[in-house]
Amino acid sequence: MLENYSYINEPLYPEVELNEWEVELFNTSYVRRLKQLSHFGAGSLISPVVHSRYEHTIGVWKLTASFFPNDNLARAAAILHDIGHLPFSHSVERTLGFNHHELTEKYVKDWEIESILNKINLTSLEVIHFLNSQNQLTGTDEIIGLDHLDSFFRDTYMNGGIDRLPKDVLSSINCSKKGVIADYETALYIMELALMDHELFLSPLLLAADRILAEAISLHFEGTVDSAIAFLTDYELLNILNHSNNLIVKELMNLLIHFPGKINIQSSITGNGISFGVRKVYNKTPMVTDGKKLNEDVKGKELLAKIGELKKEYELIIER
């Protein structure tokens, strides 16, 4: 049998050599499932940002392997960090009462994964502890980690918003176990990408898409939640909702998939619709090589302020 691992790749960063155990992890059912999960939630149904969590995972792994080539724990954690996500991510998670961090821990403990980790003298508990700690993947309370760095690069690339390819920026970036480090100009550029990404996924239309999907899910399942729902793919969930016996659910899905231009969003809250909004933004920054803190820098504070200004409330009017 010819071995061909070219499918374990993505286009943004230089190639990284795979270890045999990494090939095995990428081919587990838990990681392969990520190919069927949108990284951008319901926003993928109405925007050009359609990459899956699988490409994002490969990106985070490539960055980790590039900066920490001999750190098997960090490399394994990069491959496994997103396996607990539900279909369409956070909108489904909140609606159905799941926690993707808890699901990730559960899946990492499965023997399909544990047996591979044991080959390199790692345990599932070590990976779980790493994922729950502050490190190069997660960053700290103030510093961007490699997980978010890939998201900012990948989302803005897919939306056509960048003027420098990520692989050309990497030479100006480093990473410590606290998170991403860059020279001043590159650090500001990363923050500009972070702002662009926020402006897209926190735009009223994309927020409304998540809210419509959440409403359809809530109406269809009516509080009856089977734990198996957590392991569905995006396609499987869409199929369930599109064939729902609830006519309102079908109308909502038709609006979301076929007529997003008719989604009625108001910036004023009247109480006559479904309220939704932004309660959290990612206000971390890269470290700067000369010790300058971007949250204390004039330009850095300006970018952080613009991200903070995206915390807004809206109202969705569903005409029935």
Side-chain angles (χ1 to χ4, degrees):
M1 178 179 177
L2 293 175
E3 293 182 344
N4 182 357
Y5 304 130
S6 60
Y7 59 91
I8 306 177
N9 206 355
E10 58 72 58
L12 299 190
Y13 313 123
E15 288 192 21
V16 174
E17 186 174 351
L18 282 152
N19 293 310
E20 184 177 343
W21 63 269
E22 289 173 318
V23 174
E24 292 182 47
L25 274 186
F26 273 114
N27 280 310
T28 59
S29 61
Y30 292 100
V31 180
R32 284 299 310 169
R33 172 177 168 269
L34 298 177
K35 185 64 178 172
Q36 310 303 321
L37 301 185
S38 167
H39 187 248
F40 224 52
S44 64
L45 298 173
I46 57 176
S47 81
V49 186
V50 295
H51 61 275
S52 73
R53 286 197 173 272
Y54 185 73
E55 283 79 36
H56 165 66
T57 292
I58 296 174
V60 176
W61 165 76
K62 274 188 174 182
L63 292 171
T64 303
S66 296
F67 292 121
F68 302 91
N70 300 315
D71 191 335
N72 283 347
L73 176 56
R75 291 173 70 134
I79 296 172
L80 299 171
H81 81 281
D82 261 1
I83 62 174
H85 274 285
L86 283 82
F88 293 106
S89 303
H90 301 292
S91 58
V92 173
E93 181 177 351
R94 287 190 294 265
T95 305
L96 298 179
F98 288 97
N99 182 313
H100 76 272
H101 297 292
E102 293 176 359
L103 289 170
T104 296
E105 292 184 15
K106 175 184 175 182
Y107 299 159
V108 170
K109 291 177 183 176
D110 189 284
W111 183 243
E112 184 183 0
I113 289 174
E114 179 87 54
S115 61
I116 299 170
L117 296 175
N118 291 170
K119 292 180 180 181
I120 52 169
N121 298 315
L122 288 178
T123 67
S124 58
L125 293 180
E126 288 177 289
V127 172
I128 290 168
H129 177 73
F130 185 90
L131 290 174
N132 290 331
S133 304
Q134 294 188 343
N135 51 59
Q136 56 266 53
L137 255 67
T138 61
T140 68
D141 292 337
E142 295 183 344
I143 302 168
I144 288 174
L146 296 176
D147 185 6
H148 282 142
L149 179 66
D150 178 77
S151 293
F152 297 150
F153 273 139
R154 195 167 302 280
D155 295 347
T156 52
Y157 172 83
M158 291 296 290
N159 198 48
I162 65 172
D163 53 16
R164 297 169 64 190
L165 290 175
K167 63 182 180 181
D168 296 330
V169 182
L170 288 184
S171 60
S172 302
I173 295 175
N174 208 329
C175 190
S176 76
K177 291 193 175 182
K178 289 184 178 180
V180 175
I181 308 168
D183 61 71
Y184 177 67
E185 292 300 326
T186 304
L188 281 180
Y189 178 66
I190 292 171
M191 290 307 300
E192 289 169 359
L193 295 182
L195 174 59
M196 279 192 283
D197 199 13
H198 278 76
E199 288 174 335
L200 179 60
F201 70 76
L202 298 182
S203 64
L205 183 57
L206 265 65
L207 288 173
D210 268 343
R211 190 64 188 86
I212 290 170
L213 181 63
E215 183 72 6
I217 290 166
S218 180
L219 290 171
H220 176 80
F221 290 103
E222 296 181 331
T224 304
V225 180
D226 185 329
S227 60
I229 292 170
F231 207 66
L232 294 177
T233 65
D234 289 0
Y235 171 79
E236 289 168 333
L237 178 62
L238 285 179
N239 191 49
I240 290 170
L241 296 177
N242 285 329
H243 291 87
S244 175
N245 292 325
N246 188 316
L247 293 180
I248 297 176
V249 171
K250 286 187 174 181
E251 289 175 6
L252 289 173
M253 296 309 297
N254 190 48
L255 175 67
L256 178 59
I257 295 173
H258 299 293
F259 301 104
K262 294 184 179 180
I263 295 175
N264 187 354
I265 305 165
Q266 297 182 165
S267 57
S268 57
I269 310 301
T270 66
N272 297 321
I274 302 170
S275 62
F276 65 97
V278 183
R279 294 170 181 80
K280 178 184 177 181
V281 296
Y282 299 101
N283 56 359
K284 302 178 182 183
T285 70
M287 291 185 284
V288 182
T289 49
D290 63 3
K292 182 180 293 186
K293 292 186 177 181
L294 285 188
N295 58 4
E296 297 176 358
D297 171 74
V298 174
K299 292 183 179 178
K301 286 194 291 187
E302 181 180 327
L303 289 167
L304 287 171
K306 288 181 179 179
I307 291 175
E309 289 168 2
L310 295 171
K311 289 185 179 180
K312 296 179 181 179
E313 294 292 321
Y314 304 96
E315 191 171 71
L316 176 64
I317 305 298
I318 304 293
E319 299 179 3
R320 294 168 180 158

